[in-house]
Amino acid sequence: MYFQNVDQPQEHSHRSHQHVMANLIRMRLHWAVGERNRVFTPRLPDGSWQSYSKNDGWQSEYLHRSIVPTMHYQKSLPRLPIPKLEDTIRRYLAAQRPLLSDDDYSKTEKMAYEFQKGVGKELHSELVAQDKKNKHTSYISALWLNMYLTQRNSLVLNFSPFMALNLDPKPEYNDQLVRSTNMVVSAVRLMKTFRAGFLEPEVFHLNPAKSGTDAFKSLIRWVPPSLSSVGAYLMKAYPLDMSQFYHMFNSTRIPRHGRDELFTDEKGRHLLVMRKGNMYVFDVVDRDGNLVKPAEIQAHLKFILSDQTPAPAFPLSFLSTENRDVWAGLREKLLAAGNVKALGLVDSALFCLCFDDETLHDPIQVFHNLLCGDGCNRWYDKSFSFIVTKNGRAGIQFEHSWADGLTIFRLLNEIFKDTTEWPQVSPGSQTAAADSASAVTKLQFKLNAELENSISKAKEKFQAAVSKLTIDIVEFKKGGKEMLRMNKLSPDAMAQLAFQMGFLHQYGQTANSYEASSTAKFLHGRTETIRSTTIHTKRCTHAFVHQANQHSVQELRGMLDECSRYHKQLIKEAAVGQGFDRHLFAMQHLATSKGLPLPAFYQDTAYSTMNHNILSSSSLTSPAFSFGGFTPMVPDGFGLGYSIHKEWISCFISSYPARNVTEFQRCVNKSLEGIFSVVEGKLLR
């Protein structure tokens, strides 16, 4: 996610309160900072005071009890702005310029200005009017969810990314049973912590030494929720939207004809476990809402791991890999065959835990396993699934409609911290004397010949699809973000430049780029696109690749500086809702929903080409996980999940047969070497 360069949020409707809040904060600022080292005990929502002692009984039920209620900032989050139409058109044309010839650009420019003066002006005005009537949400939230739910392609490879957790630093805790138990317990405690309002609000701190303290939290919790975000801004703390957490647990994407349903049933108290394609359920929360004892959960998981039942001849899981309309029809037949109760248990489970029997070490094998597995031991419709291999390699796969990366980051960070610092079971723990045979239910499904045949067909399609995917890894060890920042260069800008330069090395072309950026600082914000291919990167990549002997090191360094400056501007614009992609998307959807002819602007070949994203990328860096991955957005593209570490850079690259992933990996490495050589003041070889 891209918050390191975010400025303060734009002005919004709370200006009349800002002087009041400013005075309040400033009067107390000296006190808050001076008291930073005192031990504060958080006040709970019921008004009582509670210490943070890890030995207290509440600790077995919750991860923590935040001083500030979870949703304290939600009511005062600013609304996602709709950019001015002229700004959107200007930014759109700037992004098109490096991709088009002079003649093609002139045509696109003419169509864009005609759109701005004509039907685009009308659509923009109506979009703004609609937005004013829906102040409880953002203009993009429902449209973006609908975009996902109406997609008919299989979730596998298309809408189910993953993140790989780091191994537990204590090797003995990477035992499959121990690690799985601790992950389940921590996840249930996270669920309970969130639903009780005790989860620490998600806040981005520009100055954590001031705003990340208990002193500040003890002060801000008394600011009314309608003003709390404004108070936080004055301390350069930026609360983020947390509405996606409501669909984290007990949720499933149910296939429907034309548009899927995002289903959530908070009454579910059970966990779904998969092993060898078999499904099991057991309660992890008791009838009183309390966490089942970790030793009992461990006993139930041990019982499942010891089950010798072979994989079913027709694993139901393959149906969740199907085209969504096909799967919707098959689900109806599955229900009609007498599987209502069993499917209901799958849908309402808190989440899914997948026990894989493989022992994996190679990162590319881990990538394949977490991204798609063998299709037999996953239920791709669940909001998220933990996957744990025999040797304790663990990760998460999630369905993308309900959540963006930031929400999953928080989930994994909390799970990793809790399981490594406060594990509830250990390698020497004794499992409880629980009656697992009674507590654990193996789900049985009634299948007729038609359903069995459909499972076989789905399996064939799945295997054909995943066999086309190829993976490679960039591991550049000659420099990272520390060196780049010391030289006043944006690390993200240099990574994006290396991808574009690598593509030019390999294919002799300037590629369209899509980089995801979060807009979670706004109420119900989702994402915006950073169009990182610019006139500056085009000039720079051509200079490095085709004209290196025509430029001095100083000239090449100047180009890097210009790429960095412009990219940081794009990051800031996207993060504050001032990109252009979502605005254009919303106006196109509005025209379609009104039954209007599609404006000529959207029929322009240049518009289609821009949305055919060759280089699709997302930055993934956290102490909790080692890497993440996804597939290309288009058949002839690359998927780039990259991490910029202190002293090195890594990137997992995925592609289909239309592209040579191994050669691209080599070209990206070569590009990074060239960039870092210039940073060090050396001539290119």
Side-chain angles (χ1 to χ4, degrees), residues 68 143 152 177 230 250 295 387 393 442 490-491 514 541 559 565 571 593 683:
V68 183
L143 299 181
R152 301 293 83 194
L177 176 60
V230 181
N250 300 105
I387 301 163
R393 289 278 179 181
K442 181 188 295 182
S490 160
Y514 177 107
T541 55
M559 294 181 197
R565 281 192 293 269
I571 288 175
S593 66
L683 284 171

Side-chain angles (χ1 to χ4, degrees), residues 442-547:
K442 181 188 295 182
L443 300 183
Q444 303 292 338
F445 293 91
K446 300 172 184 177
L447 304 177
N448 55 35
E450 181 183 10
L451 287 167
E452 290 178 349
N453 184 52
S454 296
I455 290 172
S456 297
K457 288 182 178 178
K459 181 179 179 180
E460 291 176 8
K461 285 194 240 180
F462 169 84
Q463 292 176 338
V466 300
S467 68
K468 296 176 183 177
L469 187 70
T470 54
I471 312 294
D472 213 326
I473 311 171
V474 171
E475 291 183 304
F476 181 78
K477 299 295 181 69
K478 297 180 181 179
K481 62 184 176 184
E482 184 175 65
M483 182 188 299
L484 293 172
R485 286 176 174 169
M486 284 176 58
N487 284 274
K488 299 182 180 180
L489 291 170
S490 160
D492 191 68
M494 295 302 101
Q496 290 290 327
L497 184 65
F499 301 147
Q500 296 170 40
M501 197 179 295
F503 194 89
L504 185 64
H505 268 299
Q506 186 174 2
Y507 295 104
Q509 300 172 352
T510 297
N512 181 29
S513 301
Y514 177 107
E515 181 181 0
S517 176
S518 174
T519 52
K521 66 195 295 184
F522 299 103
L523 180 66
H524 296 178
R526 293 288 312 235
T527 61
E528 183 53 271
T529 304
I530 300 170
R531 293 293 179 179
S532 49
T533 299
T534 68
I535 55 173
H536 306 290
T537 62
K538 183 175 183 177
R539 176 171 175 257
C540 185
T541 55
H542 277 266
F544 271 70
V545 175
H546 298 311
Q547 305 161 353

Side-chain angles (χ1 to χ4, degrees), residues 56 101 160 196 227 242 245 263 288-289 295 388 403 418 446 509 622 641:
D56 288 345
S101 67
S160 296
L227 298 173
M242 295 187 71
F245 279 70
F263 170 84
D288 296 322
V388 186
D418 194 53
K446 300 172 184 177
Q509 300 172 352
S622 165

Side-chain angles (χ1 to χ4, degrees), residues 116-134:
Q116 179 181 331
K117 296 174 183 177
V119 65
K121 185 176 181 179
E122 297 173 10
L123 291 171
H124 173 77
S125 296
E126 186 160 350
L127 182 66
V128 170
Q130 285 187 2
D131 186 54
K132 289 180 179 178
K133 296 177 182 178
N134 294 279

